[in-house]
Amino acid sequence: MSDYDYDLFVIGAGSGGTRAARVSASYGAKVAVAEEYRVGGTCVIRGCVPKKMLVYGSHFSEDLEDGKNFGWTWDNAQFDWVTLRDKILADVDRLNNAYTDTLKNHDVEILLERAEIAGPHEVKLASGKIVTAKYILIATGAWPDVPEFPGSEYMSTSNEMFHLDKLPETVIISGGGYIANEFAGIFNGLGSEVTVVNRSDVILRGYDESLRDRLLQIALTKGIMYKFNCTFDKIEKREDGSLDVYMDGKTRPVQADVVLAATGRRPKIDGLGLENAGVKINEKDAIIVDDYSRTNVENIYAVGDVTDRVQLTPVAIREGQAFADTVFGDNPRTVDYQCIPSAVFSQPPIASVGLTEGEARNQYGNIKVYSSDFRAMRNVFADRHERSLYKMIVEHQSGKILGLHMIGPDAPEILQAAAIAVKAGLTKQAFDDTVALHPSMAEELVLFK
Ligand SMILES: Cc1cc2nc3c(=O)[nH]c(=O)nc-3n(C[C@H](O)[C@H](O)[C@H](O)COP(=O)(O)OP(=O)(O)OC[C@H]3O[C@@H](n4cnc5c(N)ncnc54)[C@H](O)[C@@H]3O)c2cc1C
């Protein structure tokens, strides 16, 4: 008999927590997981998945337009926000049930309530009950960081965007990261007037500069407006619920139905009781962990966004898996953070793996950059003047590919496969040796000159 109620208590049933709980239980551990909102976490409930559905939904406006050149006509095409929203929310319910079933099928006990740490081996539940566990895993994710200024409480976050009562006519988006640019594309595609307001003059920091420039150019052509080096002064709410947004010291406000704060996500540690066990955090509120996701307290671990290593779902899942393998699977494992592919589901999307041109120049000095700047066949046919850009960054001496960056239709779908080659350390020659698959956009990857 164990001295504890559970072998493992997981706080947060998101991407990382669910994987860790399920796999630990499959190794024979007695596991419970506490979830204060909905099983599945950010990705499934109010992140990647519903966002991607909105991207699909919004892209039909262009597809319908392009269809005319392919011989199709539509009479009076209409979009209904509530239909799309409710279909997405129903799909979220389906996934929520699927995640719940998976945990139950692995004998993981689910406690649908908030939990906080009460001591190194103790967890206090919202109901007041205290349970004990040999190991505690913190997998509480991250939370939108809303700037503070008069009226900023009227801003929405990505959490609320999936539940809007109606399609906003005007949307102002604060931020320049991937969430800001994705929602800009979504609402622009659905017919809203969109302005992205950024306090610097850079969008998508961390992505290759040529791709960021290309997205900006295309987004402007599509009608998305950008305000750079611009700050918010205050927001006032009108009687009809719309918002007066004051920016940059100007006395005249800009009117908006929705103002979205997409200004970053902070580790979710508020009220988590970390101090009760002495768990250390860094200056960005991230829980400090070692390569095995162990905190400074021997039996307390943390995975996913709350550790602010790489805030992506597949990374949280890998960290959860590695935790379970290490602690309960007798197979100590760390996560390899090199060459993690990532995407921005803007319109068109961006996908990237490895070093940007700037990073490669700084690290290697002598590099070669190959690029292909082309119009996808479909866009040519549709009279859509939207050019794709693929870039391959190669180490001069060895020919090894250091980075691959793409903007264009289906870029994330194409890049996932190419990322295997980059991760495996292949050279450009290996790409050149591969016969093109024609006609495709992806063939540009093996035709770089
Ligand atoms: C709009 C948006 C779009 C995104 N798009 C992508 C994408 O396209 N691709 C991608 O890879 N990533 C994307 N992400 C990021 C991705 O969702 C996260 O990286 C991922 O969900 C992190 O997993 P996690 O397990 O760390 O945390 P989460 O999935 O956030 O899970 C944490 C869970 O803990 C619960 N919780 C928190 N505190 C407590 C507590 N005290 N007690 C009980 N429960 C608690 C929360 O309710 C939540 O369910 C997106 C995020 C957002 C917001």
Side-chain angles (χ1 to χ4, degrees):
M1 272 291 282
S2 164
D3 295 338
Y4 303 102
D5 298 327
Y6 302 99
D7 297 316
L8 171 65
F9 195 97
V10 182
I11 307 180
S15 305
T18 312
R19 173 60 68 97
R22 171 170 73 73
V23 178
S24 300
S26 74
Y27 287 134
K30 187 178 178 203
V31 184
V33 56
E35 170 53 54
E36 69 174 354
Y37 186 54
R38 299 187 73 186
V39 172
T42 304
C43 175
V44 173
I45 307 292
R46 45 193 176 187
C48 337
V49 174
K51 176 242 356 235
K52 187 85 186 272
M53 299 298 162
L54 284 178
V55 172
Y56 281 136
S58 76
H59 207 270
F60 278 96
S61 56
E62 275 187 8
D63 295 337
L64 291 170
E65 186 61 31
D66 292 353
K68 290 178 188 158
N69 273 13
F70 291 84
W72 291 89
T73 49
W74 282 269
D75 291 329
N76 196 21
Q78 300 282 330
F79 168 70
D80 181 47
W81 164 258
V82 173
T83 304
L84 176 61
R85 182 199 65 190
D86 290 352
K87 282 284 281 178
I88 292 174
L89 294 179
D91 204 50
V92 166
D93 289 344
R94 178 184 66 79
L95 288 165
N96 172 230
N97 288 334
Y99 272 69
T100 304
D101 288 347
T102 307
L103 287 176
K104 284 185 178 162
N105 291 342
H106 284 81
D107 293 328
V108 174
E109 189 179 337
I110 302 172
L111 302 156
L112 283 179
E113 55 186 311
R114 191 178 155 72
E116 60 183 65
I117 292 174
H121 290 279
E122 289 181 351
V123 174
K124 187 175 176 201
L125 298 166
S127 55
K129 189 176 168 193
I130 293 197
V131 296
T132 59
K134 186 170 183 196
Y135 293 98
I136 296 172
L137 177 68
I138 304 166
T140 49
W143 197 249
D145 202 6
V146 180
E148 280 190 23
F149 59 86
S152 65
E153 68 272 19
Y154 299 126
M155 294 176 113
S156 303
T157 70
S158 56
N159 291 344
E160 291 83 56
M161 298 310 273
F162 304 105
H163 299 272
L164 297 177
D165 291 338
K166 57 181 184 172
L167 182 68
E169 278 178 32
T170 47
V171 185
I172 292 179
I173 301 176
S174 169
Y178 80 96
I179 295 178
N181 283 284
E182 290 176 343
F183 276 107
I186 289 166
F187 284 102
N188 177 66
L190 295 178
S192 307
E193 187 186 290
V194 179
T195 308
V196 177
V197 175
N198 197 1
R199 66 175 175 196
S200 77
D201 58 358
V202 179
I203 60 164
L204 297 173
R205 208 177 279 279
Y207 280 89
D208 192 272
E209 204 174 331
S210 333
L211 272 72
R212 298 194 248 142
D213 288 349
R214 179 60 54 92
L215 177 65
L216 188 58
Q217 180 198 331
I218 296 173
L220 286 167
T221 311
K222 286 184 196 289
I224 299 175
M225 291 170 282
Y226 284 82
K227 273 178 181 286
F228 290 115
N229 300 312
C230 179
T231 48
F232 288 83
D233 298 325
K234 63 174 174 177
I235 300 178
E236 288 172 352
K237 195 172 195 163
R238 292 188 189 178
E239 266 180 23
D240 65 1
S242 67
L243 303 170
D244 281 333
V245 184
Y246 294 80
M247 292 176 271
D248 255 356
K250 300 215 169 67
T251 46
R252 281 176 66 142
V254 178
Q255 189 271 337
D257 295 319
V258 170
V259 182
L260 166 63
T263 37
R265 292 174 61 79
R266 274 188 104 75
K268 195 165 186 298
I269 56 154
D270 282 356
L272 196 53
L274 295 178
E275 62 287 355
N276 296 329
V279 176
K280 286 193 180 145
I281 54 172
N282 69 16
E283 69 291 346
K284 290 179 171 170
D285 286 354
I287 295 181
I288 301 169
V289 289
D290 67 10
D291 290 350
Y292 292 93
S293 297
R294 188 197 287 242
T295 70
N296 59 305
V297 181
E298 205 184 3
N299 66 302
I300 301 183
Y301 289 69
V303 295
D305 284 4
V306 76
T307 63
D308 199 20
R309 285 173 281 187
V310 180
Q311 290 194 353
L312 289 174
T313 287
V315 176
I317 291 173
R318 288 220 164 195
E319 289 169 356
Q321 176 80 43
F323 159 81
D325 291 344
T326 301
V327 177
F328 296 104
D330 199 19
N331 178 19
R333 289 215 290 142
T334 58
V335 173
D336 178 359
Y337 295 94
Q338 295 300 311
C339 277
I340 295 173
S342 66
V344 182
F345 292 95
S346 46
Q347 299 183 27
I350 285 177
S352 184
V353 65
L355 302 181
T356 63
E357 182 180 341
E359 289 167 344
R361 278 195 200 291
N362 286 341
Q363 284 184 37
Y364 287 81
N366 210 357
I367 58 163
K368 276 188 143 185
V369 179
Y370 297 89
S371 63
S372 175
D373 190 334
F374 64 100
R375 201 142 67 107
M377 188 192 258
R378 190 194 134 126
N379 282 346
V380 175
F381 202 84
D383 274 339
R384 185 167 289 285
H385 296 276
E386 192 176 299
R387 298 185 71 82
S388 301
L389 179 64
Y390 291 5
K391 267 176 88 170
M392 184 183 268
I393 320 292
V394 175
E395 195 196 351
H396 190 75
Q397 287 277 299
S398 63
K400 187 179 154 193
I401 301 167
L402 301 173
L404 204 50
H405 310 280
M406 308 165 64
I407 178 168
D410 296 332
E413 305 293 339
I414 300 166
L415 185 106
Q416 173 70 84
I420 301 168
V422 179
K423 174 82 182 145
L426 296 193
T427 58
K428 175 173 183 292
Q429 189 60 48
F431 274 60
D432 295 348
D433 290 344
T434 307
V435 175
L437 190 159
H438 183 74
S440 69
M441 294 176 283
E443 68 181 310
E444 297 297 325
L445 291 175
V446 299
L447 298 173
F448 281 121
K449 288 280 177 290

